[in-house]
Each structure stands twice: as structure tokens, then as C-alpha cells.
Amino acid sequence: AAVKALSDVICTSGNAVNIVNACPKDKDLLFVPDENLGEWVMEQTGRPMTLWRGNCYVHAEFRREGLLRTKQAYPQAKVVVHPESLREVRLLADSVCSTEKMISYCRTNPATQFIVVTESGIIHRLQKECPGKQFIPAPVFDPMRAPTDPCRCSECKYMKLNTLEKVRDCMKNLAPRIDLPADIIRRARLPIQRMLDISARSV
């Protein structure tokens, strides 16, 4: 919340291109926090930006070599890649898209096999929304893995801390609770509202 309070506008992987295109052309943009997403946005918009040197560790673990091996094993599969992945991985994609757009791409594409390059939790939803199609989670780079061992899938240890039981208990007990200073709430709400306003104009 404190970082949002310092920001001019918020974006997601799904609307980042529209948000950047809407920013004043004479201003340098500091794109925070994901440098890989920022690099992809620069490729889409042609606009240089200053990138914060941070990334999503899950998406940064995907590598070109592992994806090429998976493509060889499933030559008919379409490859969908999240834009927070490295450029070497994005270049192998049939589609680079946000999590929500991955769902619609796989639903509407006539292909029946898809290699999915993002956190593997999305596979469950894809299977529910796209029955009859096969989804292959892309392997992640693991320097400790022997060449003969199966590749591990991409699981975010932080996302996996959230469970249905914890959500239930929070709703039931209204705890644990996070209280923010009123000033932080006010300042952090402004860039979120700007994002919503820009997105509404882009529809």
C-alpha cells in the first residue's frame, strides 16, 4: 500500500500496455516492480522506460532450453507465455498474455494441446473451463536437477500460503487484520482510480 501511495498509476499484466500508452509522452516512466513485464511492455509500445530491477521469481525460472524440450515432446501444442517471463521464453510463444487472457486464448483456440508458461495453479481452472483440451505445465530451471530427473513444475510458495481454510477463518473471525493509516489509504486509492479510469476509456 505504501508503494502504491508513491505511484502515479497502477497497472496489471493485462492492462499495462494500455496504461503506458495513456501516460504523458514527455515523461520518463519508472516501471515497478517487474522488469520482464516492463521489457515486454516496451516491446509492445515502442516506449523506453526505466525498469525496476525486480521480477516474479516463478516466471524468472522458466528457460528457453526447458521449453524447447517440452515443445519437442508436444509438437502440436500451442505455447502460451505470461509476459513476466524472460524474453528468451517469450520469443517461443504462440501468444504472450496475462493470466485472464490465457484462459480466453485457450478457450477460443481450436488447438487441443497447450503448453502453459506461468504458475501451475492455473491448470486447474483451464481444465474446468476448457474441457477436452490438454494443458502441459512448462518445466522450470532447476540447477540441482539431474538430466534424467523429471522437471518440476512452477509453484509459487507465496501463493500456496493462501488456503481455503485461511480464507474461511478470515471471513469468519475478521482476523488477522491489517490496519492502514488513513493517509496511506487515501494516497494509494488515487493511482488505482486512475487505472480504472484509463481502462474504462480503453474499452
Side-chain angles (χ1 to χ4, degrees):
V3 173
K4 287 180 172 67
L6 292 173
S7 303
D8 293 298
V9 64
I10 307 299
C11 70
T12 70
S13 59
N15 66 19
V17 168
N18 286 339
I19 297 297
V20 167
N21 279 332
C23 290
K25 305 302 181 187
D26 60 337
K27 298 289 186 181
D28 182 32
L29 302 181
L30 173 60
F31 193 93
V32 179
D34 195 284
E35 60 186 333
N36 294 317
L37 176 60
E39 184 181 60
W40 178 76
V41 171
M42 286 197 297
E43 293 168 2
Q44 303 306 300
T45 63
R47 178 168 182 170
M49 299 187 295
T50 300
L51 303 181
W52 181 270
R53 293 302 173 193
N55 54 56
C56 165
Y57 88 91
V58 172
H59 290 105
E61 286 186 327
F62 294 114
R63 291 292 189 277
R64 182 176 186 274
E65 293 76 12
L67 184 52
L68 283 174
R69 287 196 299 269
T70 309
K71 282 169 61 74
Q72 289 175 349
Y74 299 92
Q76 302 304 314
K78 296 292 184 181
V79 178
V80 287
V81 175
H82 195 279
E84 290 176 7
S85 303
L86 298 175
R87 187 170 188 271
E88 66 180 49
V89 174
R90 298 195 306 268
L91 288 174
L92 298 175
D94 291 292
S95 179
V96 178
C97 44
S98 66
T99 303
E100 203 60 35
K101 290 178 182 176
M102 281 185 176
I103 304 290
S104 59
Y105 176 85
C106 294
R107 186 192 300 118
T108 58
N109 194 286
T112 57
Q113 288 184 326
F114 298 87
I115 299 169
V116 181
V117 188
T118 191
E119 209 275 342
S120 59
I122 195 177
I123 299 294
H124 175 71
R125 183 179 169 194
L126 284 167
Q127 290 170 336
K128 286 180 62 177
E129 298 204 19
C130 309
K133 297 188 177 185
Q134 180 184 10
F135 300 98
I136 303 102
V140 296
F141 174 73
D142 188 347
M144 304 304 292
R145 183 183 68 85
T148 54
D149 291 342
C151 292
R152 64 181 176 87
C153 294
S154 57
E155 287 197 346
C156 176
K157 61 184 179 182
Y158 301 110
M159 292 173 70
K160 293 300 183 280
L161 292 174
N162 300 310
T163 65
L164 286 176
E165 291 78 14
K166 289 179 180 179
V167 173
R168 177 202 62 201
D169 292 345
C170 283
M171 294 177 69
K172 180 179 179 181
N173 305 319
L174 297 181
R177 186 180 183 94
I178 299 173
D179 291 310
L180 296 174
D183 181 58
I184 292 291
I185 293 174
R186 179 186 60 78
R187 289 164 50 210
R189 183 177 284 127
L190 292 174
I192 296 173
Q193 187 60 53
R194 288 191 190 106
M195 175 187 72
L196 296 174
D197 292 343
I198 292 169
S199 296
R201 294 199 300 267
S202 302
V203 173

